[in-house]
Amino acid sequence: MLTDEYRYKILKILEANPEISQRDLAKKLNISLGRVNFCLKALIEKGLLKASNFRNSQNKLAYMYLLTSQGLEEKSVITARFLKAKLQEYAKLQAEIEELRQDSHQVLNNSFHQAEIHAL
Amino acid sequence: MLTDEYRYKILKILEANPEISQRDLAKKLNISLGRVNFCLKALIEKGLLKASNFRNSQNKLAYMYLLTSQGLEEKSVITARFLKAKLQEYAKLQAEIEELRQDSHQVLNNSFHQAEIHAL
DNA sequence: TTTTCACCGTTCAACAATTGAACAAAGTTT
DNA sequence: AAACTTTGTTCAATTGTTGAACGGTGAAAA
């Protein structure tokens, strides 16, 4: 599955470092090689990336994943959309944490209550 | 899979409302019936919950999922652990959002830059 | 009484997502 | 020439999840 999270992360990494291998990309993203391969193909398919050959420092043939102009445009759209989602997540998390805080206080109060009862 | 998230949520809901059905619990948690069933069995297996029969308002036989004393103890442990994880998530999200903000600014700067070039 | 209906927990075949070992290709090293 | 390294690709296997279907049980309707 190719989510905005990986669209964003992959385009960002490749923009800064187009000659990264799929294996290193997988490590950086903490996902499997197979999934990286799937995501890259999808991004190429959609015209956001282009794979081209180049000679690396050891004069070895390797791929280079370059953002197309459409890729650059889309990256900003995806980034904005992803940021919006993250902000919503953030607000939700704030509420959840507040709720959890109240729950753990309640637990403490319960313990206290039981201690009181126990003391009778 | 039974994660802390669902351990916490299920124990919390059942403590307040032990006579809820697995279907309603599934709706409340936005997960499937099968998964709820799996989670409940796991919690019962671990001794945190106990299923007992009771007669509901329509005098119909139904289950009641009660927290055992071990379940009450564990709930506070799980809540604390889950809260801690949420706080970490929160901090990470803050950093991510900051990074995203910078990225989208960079994009704006790039657009501006290109606009400048275009104007030449 | 018998039938129908509604709701319960349980099961499990089917689906979806992900993994990573295995492979072929290409260049380098021994 | 053979062995080794690093690349992208493939796909069988694993994992996680779903929800339709089933049998059980009591209430309501026929």
Coordinates of all heavy atoms in Angstrom, one line a residue, chain A residues 7-86:
Chain A
R7 N 4.6 8.3 0.3 CA 4.8 9.2 -0.8 C 5.7 10.4 -0.4 O 6.7 10.7 -1.1 CB 3.4 9.8 -1.3 CG 2.6 8.8 -2.1 CD 1.4 9.5 -2.7 NE 0.5 8.5 -3.2 CZ -0.6 8.1 -2.5 NH1 -0.9 8.6 -1.4 NH2 -1.4 7.1 -3.0
Y8 N 5.3 11.0 0.7 CA 6.1 12.1 1.2 C 7.5 11.8 1.6 O 8.5 12.4 1.1 CB 5.4 12.7 2.5 CG 6.2 13.6 3.3 CD1 6.7 14.8 2.9 CD2 6.7 13.1 4.5 CE1 7.5 15.6 3.6 CE2 7.5 13.9 5.3 CZ 7.9 15.2 4.9 OH 8.7 15.9 5.6
K9 N 7.7 10.7 2.3 CA 9.0 10.3 2.8 C 9.9 9.9 1.7 O 11.1 10.3 1.6 CB 8.9 9.2 3.8 CG 8.3 9.6 5.2 CD 8.3 8.5 6.2 CE 7.8 8.9 7.5 NZ 7.7 7.8 8.5
I10 N 9.4 9.2 0.8 CA 10.2 8.7 -0.4 C 10.6 9.8 -1.3 O 11.8 10.0 -1.6 CB 9.4 7.6 -1.2 CG1 9.3 6.3 -0.3 CG2 10.2 7.3 -2.5 CD1 8.5 5.2 -0.9
L11 N 9.7 10.7 -1.6 CA 10.0 11.8 -2.5 C 11.0 12.7 -1.8 O 11.9 13.2 -2.4 CB 8.7 12.6 -2.8 CG 7.8 11.9 -3.8 CD1 6.5 12.7 -4.0 CD2 8.4 11.5 -5.1
K12 N 10.9 12.9 -0.5 CA 11.8 13.8 0.2 C 13.2 13.2 0.2 O 14.2 13.9 -0.1 CB 11.3 13.9 1.7 CG 12.1 14.9 2.4 CD 11.8 15.0 3.9 CE 12.7 15.9 4.6 NZ 12.6 15.8 6.1
I13 N 13.3 11.9 0.6 CA 14.6 11.3 0.6 C 15.3 11.3 -0.8 O 16.4 11.6 -0.9 CB 14.5 9.8 1.2 CG1 14.1 9.9 2.6 CG2 15.8 9.1 1.0 CD1 13.8 8.5 3.2
L14 N 14.5 10.9 -1.8 CA 15.1 10.8 -3.1 C 15.4 12.2 -3.7 O 16.4 12.3 -4.5 CB 14.1 10.1 -4.1 CG 13.9 8.6 -3.8 CD1 12.9 8.0 -4.8 CD2 15.2 7.9 -3.8
E15 N 14.7 13.2 -3.3 CA 15.1 14.5 -3.8 C 16.5 14.9 -3.3 O 17.3 15.5 -4.0 CB 14.0 15.6 -3.3 CG 14.1 16.9 -4.0 CD 13.1 17.9 -3.6 OE1 12.4 17.6 -2.6 OE2 12.9 18.9 -4.2
A16 N 16.7 14.5 -2.0 CA 18.0 14.9 -1.4 C 19.1 13.9 -1.8 O 20.3 14.2 -1.8 CB 17.9 14.9 0.1
N17 N 18.7 12.6 -2.1 CA 19.7 11.6 -2.3 C 19.1 10.6 -3.4 O 18.7 9.5 -3.0 CB 19.9 10.9 -1.0 CG 21.0 9.8 -1.0 OD1 21.8 9.8 -2.0 ND2 21.0 8.9 -0.1
P18 N 19.2 11.0 -4.6 CA 18.6 10.2 -5.7 C 19.2 8.8 -6.0 O 18.6 7.9 -6.5 CB 18.7 11.0 -7.0 CG 19.1 12.4 -6.5 CD 19.9 12.1 -5.2
E19 N 20.5 8.7 -5.6 CA 21.2 7.5 -5.9 C 21.2 6.4 -4.8 O 21.9 5.4 -4.8 CB 22.7 7.8 -6.3 CG 23.6 8.2 -5.1 CD 23.5 9.7 -4.9 OE1 22.5 10.4 -5.3 OE2 24.4 10.2 -4.2
I20 N 20.3 6.6 -3.8 CA 20.1 5.6 -2.8 C 19.6 4.3 -3.3 O 18.8 4.3 -4.3 CB 19.2 6.2 -1.6 CG1 19.3 5.3 -0.4 CG2 17.8 6.2 -2.1 CD1 18.6 5.9 0.8
S21 N 20.1 3.2 -2.8 CA 19.5 1.9 -3.2 C 18.2 1.6 -2.6 O 17.9 2.1 -1.5 CB 20.6 0.8 -2.9 OG 20.6 0.5 -1.5
Q22 N 17.5 0.6 -3.1 CA 16.2 0.3 -2.5 C 16.4 -0.3 -1.2 O 15.6 -0.2 -0.3 CB 15.5 -0.7 -3.5 CG 15.0 -0.1 -4.8 CD 14.2 -1.0 -5.6 OE1 13.8 -2.1 -5.2 NE2 13.9 -0.6 -6.9
R23 N 17.5 -1.0 -1.0 CA 17.8 -1.6 0.3 C 18.0 -0.6 1.4 O 17.5 -0.7 2.5 CB 18.9 -2.6 0.3 CG 18.5 -4.0 -0.3 CD 19.7 -4.9 -0.5 NE 19.3 -6.2 -1.0 CZ 18.9 -6.5 -2.2 NH1 18.9 -5.5 -3.1 NH2 18.6 -7.7 -2.6
D24 N 18.8 0.4 1.0 CA 19.1 1.5 2.0 C 17.8 2.3 2.3 O 17.6 2.8 3.4 CB 20.2 2.4 1.5 CG 21.6 1.7 1.6 OD1 21.6 0.7 2.3 OD2 22.5 2.2 1.0
L25 N 17.0 2.5 1.2 CA 15.8 3.2 1.4 C 14.9 2.5 2.4 O 14.2 3.0 3.2 CB 15.1 3.4 0.0 CG 13.9 4.4 -0.1 CD1 14.2 5.7 0.5 CD2 13.5 4.5 -1.6
A26 N 14.8 1.2 2.2 CA 14.0 0.3 3.1 C 14.4 0.5 4.5 O 13.6 0.6 5.4 CB 14.1 -1.1 2.6
K27 N 15.7 0.5 4.7 CA 16.3 0.6 6.1 C 15.9 2.0 6.7 O 15.5 2.1 7.8 CB 17.8 0.5 6.1 CG 18.3 -1.0 6.1 CD 19.8 -1.1 5.9 CE 20.2 -2.4 5.4 NZ 21.6 -2.4 4.8
K28 N 16.0 3.0 5.9 CA 15.7 4.4 6.3 C 14.2 4.5 6.7 O 13.9 5.3 7.6 CB 16.1 5.4 5.2 CG 16.8 6.6 5.7 CD 17.4 7.4 4.6 CE 18.3 8.4 5.1 NZ 19.1 9.1 4.1
L29 N 13.4 3.8 5.9 CA 11.9 3.9 6.2 C 11.4 2.8 7.1 O 10.2 2.8 7.5 CB 11.2 3.7 4.8 CG 11.5 4.8 3.8 CD1 10.9 4.4 2.4 CD2 10.9 6.2 4.2
N30 N 12.3 1.9 7.5 CA 11.9 0.8 8.4 C 10.7 0.0 7.7 O 9.8 -0.4 8.4 CB 11.4 1.3 9.7 CG 12.6 1.5 10.6 OD1 13.5 0.7 10.6 ND2 12.5 2.6 11.4
I31 N 10.9 -0.3 6.5 CA 9.9 -1.2 5.8 C 10.7 -2.2 5.0 O 12.0 -2.0 4.8 CB 8.9 -0.4 4.9 CG1 9.6 0.4 3.8 CG2 8.0 0.5 5.7 CD1 8.7 1.1 2.8
S32 N 10.1 -3.1 4.4 CA 10.8 -4.2 3.7 C 11.2 -3.8 2.3 O 10.6 -2.9 1.7 CB 9.9 -5.5 3.6 OG 8.8 -5.2 2.7
L33 N 12.2 -4.5 1.8 CA 12.6 -4.3 0.4 C 11.5 -4.4 -0.6 O 11.4 -3.6 -1.5 CB 13.7 -5.3 0.1 CG 14.3 -5.3 -1.3 CD1 14.9 -4.0 -1.6 CD2 15.3 -6.4 -1.4
G34 N 10.7 -5.4 -0.4 CA 9.6 -5.7 -1.4 C 8.6 -4.5 -1.4 O 8.1 -4.1 -2.5
R35 N 8.4 -3.9 -0.2 CA 7.4 -2.8 -0.2 C 8.0 -1.6 -0.8 O 7.3 -0.8 -1.5 CB 7.1 -2.5 1.3 CG 5.9 -1.7 1.4 CD 5.4 -1.5 2.8 NE 4.4 -0.5 3.0 CZ 4.0 0.0 4.1 NH1 4.6 -0.4 5.2 NH2 3.1 0.9 4.1
V36 N 9.3 -1.3 -0.6 CA 10.0 -0.2 -1.2 C 9.9 -0.3 -2.7 O 9.5 0.6 -3.5 CB 11.4 -0.1 -0.8 CG1 12.2 0.8 -1.8 CG2 11.6 0.5 0.6
N37 N 10.2 -1.5 -3.2 CA 10.1 -1.8 -4.7 C 8.7 -1.5 -5.2 O 8.5 -0.8 -6.2 CB 10.5 -3.2 -4.9 CG 10.6 -3.5 -6.4 OD1 9.6 -4.0 -7.0 ND2 11.7 -3.3 -7.0
F38 N 7.7 -1.9 -4.5 CA 6.3 -1.7 -4.8 C 6.0 -0.2 -4.9 O 5.4 0.3 -5.9 CB 5.4 -2.4 -3.9 CG 3.9 -2.1 -4.1 CD1 3.2 -2.8 -5.1 CD2 3.3 -1.1 -3.4 CE1 1.9 -2.6 -5.3 CE2 1.9 -0.9 -3.6 CZ 1.2 -1.6 -4.6
C39 N 6.4 0.5 -3.9 CA 6.1 2.0 -3.8 C 6.8 2.7 -4.9 O 6.2 3.6 -5.5 CB 6.6 2.5 -2.4 SG 5.6 2.0 -1.0
L40 N 8.1 2.4 -5.2 CA 8.8 3.1 -6.2 C 8.2 2.9 -7.6 O 8.0 3.8 -8.3 CB 10.3 2.6 -6.3 CG 11.2 3.1 -5.1 CD1 12.6 2.5 -5.3 CD2 11.3 4.6 -5.1
K41 N 7.8 1.6 -7.8 CA 7.1 1.4 -9.1 C 5.8 2.2 -9.2 O 5.5 2.7 -10.3 CB 6.8 -0.1 -9.2 CG 8.0 -1.0 -9.6 CD 7.6 -2.4 -9.9 CE 8.8 -3.2 -10.4 NZ 8.5 -4.6 -10.5
A42 N 5.1 2.3 -8.1 CA 3.8 3.1 -8.2 C 4.1 4.5 -8.5 O 3.4 5.2 -9.2 CB 3.1 2.9 -6.9
L43 N 5.2 5.1 -7.9 CA 5.5 6.5 -8.1 C 6.0 6.7 -9.5 O 5.8 7.8 -10.1 CB 6.6 6.9 -7.0 CG 6.0 7.0 -5.6 CD1 7.2 7.3 -4.6 CD2 5.0 8.2 -5.5
I44 N 6.7 5.7 -10.0 CA 7.2 5.8 -11.4 C 6.0 5.7 -12.4 O 5.9 6.5 -13.3 CB 8.2 4.7 -11.7 CG1 9.5 5.0 -11.0 CG2 8.5 4.6 -13.2 CD1 10.5 3.9 -10.9
E45 N 5.1 4.8 -12.0 CA 3.9 4.6 -12.8 C 3.1 5.9 -12.9 O 2.5 6.2 -14.0 CB 3.1 3.5 -12.2 CG 1.7 3.3 -12.7 CD 1.6 2.6 -14.1 OE1 2.6 2.0 -14.4 OE2 0.6 2.8 -14.8
K46 N 3.0 6.6 -11.8 CA 2.2 7.8 -11.8 C 3.0 9.0 -12.4 O 2.5 10.1 -12.4 CB 1.8 8.1 -10.3 CG 0.8 7.1 -9.8 CD 0.0 7.7 -8.6 CE -1.1 6.7 -8.2 NZ -1.9 7.2 -7.1
G47 N 4.2 8.8 -12.8 CA 5.0 9.8 -13.4 C 5.7 10.8 -12.5 O 6.1 11.9 -12.9
L48 N 5.7 10.5 -11.2 CA 6.4 11.4 -10.2 C 7.9 11.1 -10.1 O 8.6 12.0 -9.7 CB 5.7 11.2 -8.8 CG 4.2 11.3 -8.7 CD1 3.8 11.4 -7.3 CD2 3.7 12.5 -9.5
L49 N 8.3 9.9 -10.5 CA 9.7 9.6 -10.4 C 10.1 9.0 -11.8 O 9.3 8.5 -12.6 CB 9.9 8.5 -9.4 CG 10.0 8.8 -7.9 CD1 10.4 7.5 -7.2 CD2 11.1 9.9 -7.7
K50 N 11.4 9.1 -12.0 CA 12.0 8.5 -13.2 C 13.2 7.8 -12.8 O 14.1 8.4 -12.1 CB 12.2 9.6 -14.2 CG 12.6 9.1 -15.6 CD 12.6 10.3 -16.6 CE 13.3 9.9 -17.9 NZ 14.7 9.7 -17.8
A51 N 13.4 6.5 -13.2 CA 14.6 5.8 -12.9 C 15.6 5.9 -14.1 O 15.2 5.6 -15.2 CB 14.3 4.3 -12.6
S52 N 16.7 6.4 -13.8 CA 17.7 6.4 -14.9 C 19.0 5.8 -14.4 O 19.3 5.8 -13.2 CB 17.9 7.9 -15.3 OG 18.5 8.6 -14.3
N53 N 19.8 5.4 -15.3 CA 21.1 4.8 -14.9 C 22.1 5.9 -14.7 O 22.1 6.9 -15.3 CB 21.5 3.8 -16.0 CG 20.6 2.6 -16.1 OD1 20.0 2.4 -17.0 ND2 20.6 1.8 -15.0
F54 N 23.1 5.5 -13.9 CA 24.2 6.4 -13.8 C 25.4 5.6 -13.3 O 25.2 4.4 -12.9 CB 24.0 7.6 -12.8 CG 24.1 7.2 -11.4 CD1 25.1 7.8 -10.6 CD2 23.3 6.3 -10.8 CE1 25.3 7.5 -9.3 CE2 23.4 6.0 -9.4 CZ 24.4 6.6 -8.7
R55 N 26.6 6.1 -13.4 CA 27.8 5.4 -12.9 C 28.1 6.0 -11.5 O 28.2 7.2 -11.3 CB 29.0 5.7 -13.8 CG 28.8 5.3 -15.2 CD 29.4 3.9 -15.5 NE 28.8 3.2 -16.6 CZ 29.0 2.0 -16.8 NH1 29.8 1.2 -16.1 NH2 28.4 1.4 -17.9
N56 N 28.1 5.1 -10.5 CA 28.4 5.6 -9.2 C 29.9 5.7 -8.9 O 30.7 5.5 -9.9 CB 27.7 4.7 -8.1 CG 28.3 3.4 -8.0 OD1 29.4 3.1 -8.6 ND2 27.7 2.5 -7.3
S57 N 30.3 6.1 -7.7 CA 31.7 6.4 -7.4 C 32.7 5.3 -7.8 O 33.8 5.5 -8.2 CB 31.8 6.7 -6.0 OG 31.3 5.7 -5.2
Q58 N 32.2 4.0 -7.7 CA 33.0 2.9 -8.0 C 32.9 2.5 -9.5 O 33.2 1.4 -9.9 CB 32.7 1.7 -7.2 CG 33.1 1.8 -5.7 CD 31.9 2.2 -4.9 OE1 30.8 1.7 -5.2 NE2 32.1 3.0 -3.9
N59 N 32.3 3.5 -10.3 CA 32.1 3.2 -11.7 C 31.2 2.0 -12.0 O 31.3 1.3 -13.0 CB 33.4 3.0 -12.4 CG 33.3 3.3 -13.9 OD1 32.5 4.1 -14.3 ND2 34.0 2.5 -14.7
K60 N 30.3 1.8 -11.0 CA 29.4 0.7 -11.1 C 28.0 1.2 -11.6 O 27.6 2.3 -11.2 CB 29.2 0.0 -9.8 CG 29.8 -1.4 -9.7 CD 29.6 -1.9 -8.3 CE 28.8 -3.2 -8.3 NZ 28.9 -3.9 -7.0
L61 N 27.4 0.4 -12.5 CA 26.1 0.8 -12.9 C 25.1 0.8 -11.8 O 25.0 -0.2 -11.0 CB 25.6 -0.1 -14.1 CG 24.5 0.4 -14.9 CD1 24.9 1.6 -15.7 CD2 24.0 -0.7 -15.9
A62 N 24.3 1.8 -11.7 CA 23.3 1.9 -10.6 C 22.1 2.7 -11.1 O 22.2 3.5 -12.0 CB 23.9 2.4 -9.3
Y63 N 21.0 2.6 -10.4 CA 19.9 3.4 -10.7 C 19.9 4.7 -9.9 O 20.5 4.8 -8.9 CB 18.6 2.7 -10.3 CG 18.1 1.8 -11.4 CD1 18.0 0.4 -11.3 CD2 17.7 2.4 -12.6 CE1 17.6 -0.4 -12.3 CE2 17.3 1.6 -13.7 CZ 17.2 0.2 -13.5 OH 16.7 -0.6 -14.5
M64 N 19.2 5.7 -10.5 CA 19.1 7.0 -9.9 C 17.6 7.3 -10.0 O 17.0 7.1 -11.1 CB 19.9 8.0 -10.7 CG 20.3 9.2 -10.0 SD 21.5 10.1 -11.1 CE 21.8 11.4 -10.0
Y65 N 17.0 7.6 -8.9 CA 15.5 7.9 -8.9 C 15.3 9.4 -8.8 O 15.5 10.0 -7.8 CB 14.8 7.2 -7.7 CG 15.0 5.7 -7.8 CD1 16.0 5.1 -7.0 CD2 14.2 5.0 -8.7 CE1 16.1 3.7 -7.1 CE2 14.4 3.6 -8.8 CZ 15.4 3.0 -8.0 OH 15.5 1.6 -8.1
L66 N 15.0 10.0 -9.9 CA 14.8 11.4 -10.0 C 13.4 11.8 -10.0 O 12.5 11.2 -10.7 CB 15.5 11.9 -11.3 CG 17.0 11.7 -11.4 CD1 17.5 12.0 -12.8 CD2 17.7 12.6 -10.4
L67 N 13.1 12.9 -9.3 CA 11.8 13.5 -9.3 C 11.5 14.2 -10.7 O 12.4 15.0 -11.1 CB 11.6 14.5 -8.2 CG 11.1 13.9 -6.8 CD1 12.2 13.1 -6.2 CD2 10.7 15.0 -5.9
T68 N 10.4 13.9 -11.3 CA 10.0 14.6 -12.5 C 9.5 16.0 -12.1 O 9.3 16.2 -10.9 CB 8.9 13.8 -13.2 OG1 7.8 13.8 -12.4 CG2 9.4 12.4 -13.6
S69 N 9.2 16.8 -13.0 CA 8.6 18.1 -12.7 C 7.3 17.9 -12.0 O 6.9 18.6 -11.1 CB 8.6 19.0 -13.9 OG 7.7 18.4 -14.9
Q70 N 6.5 16.9 -12.6 CA 5.3 16.6 -11.9 C 5.5 16.1 -10.5 O 4.7 16.3 -9.6 CB 4.5 15.5 -12.8 CG 3.1 15.3 -12.4 CD 2.5 14.1 -12.9 OE1 3.0 13.5 -13.9 NE2 1.4 13.6 -12.3
G71 N 6.6 15.4 -10.3 CA 6.9 14.8 -9.0 C 7.2 16.0 -8.0 O 6.8 15.9 -6.9
L72 N 7.8 17.0 -8.5 CA 8.1 18.1 -7.6 C 6.8 18.8 -7.2 O 6.6 19.2 -6.1 CB 9.1 19.1 -8.3 CG 10.5 18.8 -8.2 CD1 11.4 19.7 -9.2 CD2 11.0 19.0 -6.8
E73 N 6.0 19.0 -8.2 CA 4.7 19.7 -8.0 C 3.9 18.8 -7.0 O 3.4 19.3 -5.9 CB 3.9 19.8 -9.3 CG 4.3 21.0 -10.1 CD 3.5 20.9 -11.4 OE1 2.3 20.6 -11.4 OE2 4.2 21.2 -12.5
E74 N 3.7 17.6 -7.3 CA 3.0 16.7 -6.4 C 3.5 16.6 -5.0 O 2.8 16.5 -4.1 CB 2.9 15.3 -7.1 CG 1.8 15.0 -8.0 CD 0.4 15.0 -7.2 OE1 0.2 14.1 -6.4 OE2 -0.3 15.9 -7.5
K75 N 4.8 16.7 -4.9 CA 5.4 16.6 -3.6 C 4.9 17.7 -2.7 O 4.6 17.4 -1.5 CB 7.0 16.7 -3.7 CG 7.6 16.4 -2.3 CD 9.1 16.7 -2.4 CE 9.7 16.6 -0.9 NZ 10.3 17.9 -0.6
S76 N 4.7 18.9 -3.2 CA 4.3 20.0 -2.3 C 2.8 19.7 -2.0 O 2.4 20.0 -0.8 CB 4.5 21.3 -3.0 OG 3.6 21.4 -4.1
V77 N 2.0 19.2 -2.9 CA 0.6 18.9 -2.6 C 0.5 17.8 -1.5 O -0.2 18.0 -0.6 CB -0.1 18.4 -3.9 CG1 -1.5 17.9 -3.6 CG2 -0.1 19.5 -5.0
I78 N 1.3 16.8 -1.7 CA 1.3 15.7 -0.8 C 1.8 16.1 0.6 O 1.2 15.8 1.6 CB 2.2 14.5 -1.3 CG1 1.6 13.9 -2.5 CG2 2.5 13.5 -0.2 CD1 2.6 13.0 -3.3
T79 N 2.9 17.0 0.6 CA 3.4 17.5 1.9 C 2.3 18.3 2.6 O 2.1 18.1 3.8 CB 4.6 18.3 1.6 OG1 5.6 17.6 0.9 CG2 5.2 18.8 2.9
A80 N 1.6 19.1 1.9 CA 0.6 19.9 2.5 C -0.5 19.1 3.1 O -0.9 19.3 4.2 CB 0.0 20.9 1.5
R81 N -0.9 18.1 2.3 CA -2.0 17.2 2.7 C -1.6 16.4 4.0 O -2.3 16.2 4.9 CB -2.3 16.3 1.6 CG -3.7 15.5 1.7 CD -4.0 14.9 0.4 NE -3.0 14.0 -0.1 CZ -2.8 13.7 -1.4 NH1 -3.6 14.2 -2.3 NH2 -1.9 12.9 -1.7
F82 N -0.3 15.9 3.9 CA 0.2 15.1 5.0 C 0.4 15.9 6.3 O 0.1 15.5 7.4 CB 1.6 14.5 4.6 CG 2.2 13.5 5.5 CD1 1.4 12.5 6.0 CD2 3.5 13.6 5.9 CE1 2.0 11.5 6.9 CE2 4.0 12.7 6.8 CZ 3.3 11.7 7.3
L83 N 0.8 17.2 6.1 CA 0.9 18.1 7.3 C -0.4 18.3 7.9 O -0.5 18.2 9.1 CB 1.5 19.4 6.8 CG 1.6 20.5 7.9 CD1 2.4 20.1 9.1 CD2 2.2 21.8 7.3
K84 N -1.4 18.5 7.1 CA -2.8 18.7 7.6 C -3.2 17.5 8.4 O -3.8 17.7 9.5 CB -3.7 19.0 6.4 CG -5.1 19.5 6.8 CD -6.0 19.6 5.6 CE -7.4 19.8 6.0 NZ -8.4 19.7 4.9
A85 N -3.0 16.3 7.9 CA -3.4 15.1 8.6 C -2.6 15.0 9.9 O -3.2 14.6 10.9 CB -3.1 13.9 7.7
K86 N -1.3 15.4 9.9 CA -0.5 15.3 11.1 C -1.0 16.3 12.2 O -1.0 15.9 13.3 CB 1.0 15.6 10.8 CG 1.7 14.5 10.1 CD 2.0 13.4 11.1 CE 2.6 12.1 10.4 NZ 2.7 11.0 11.3

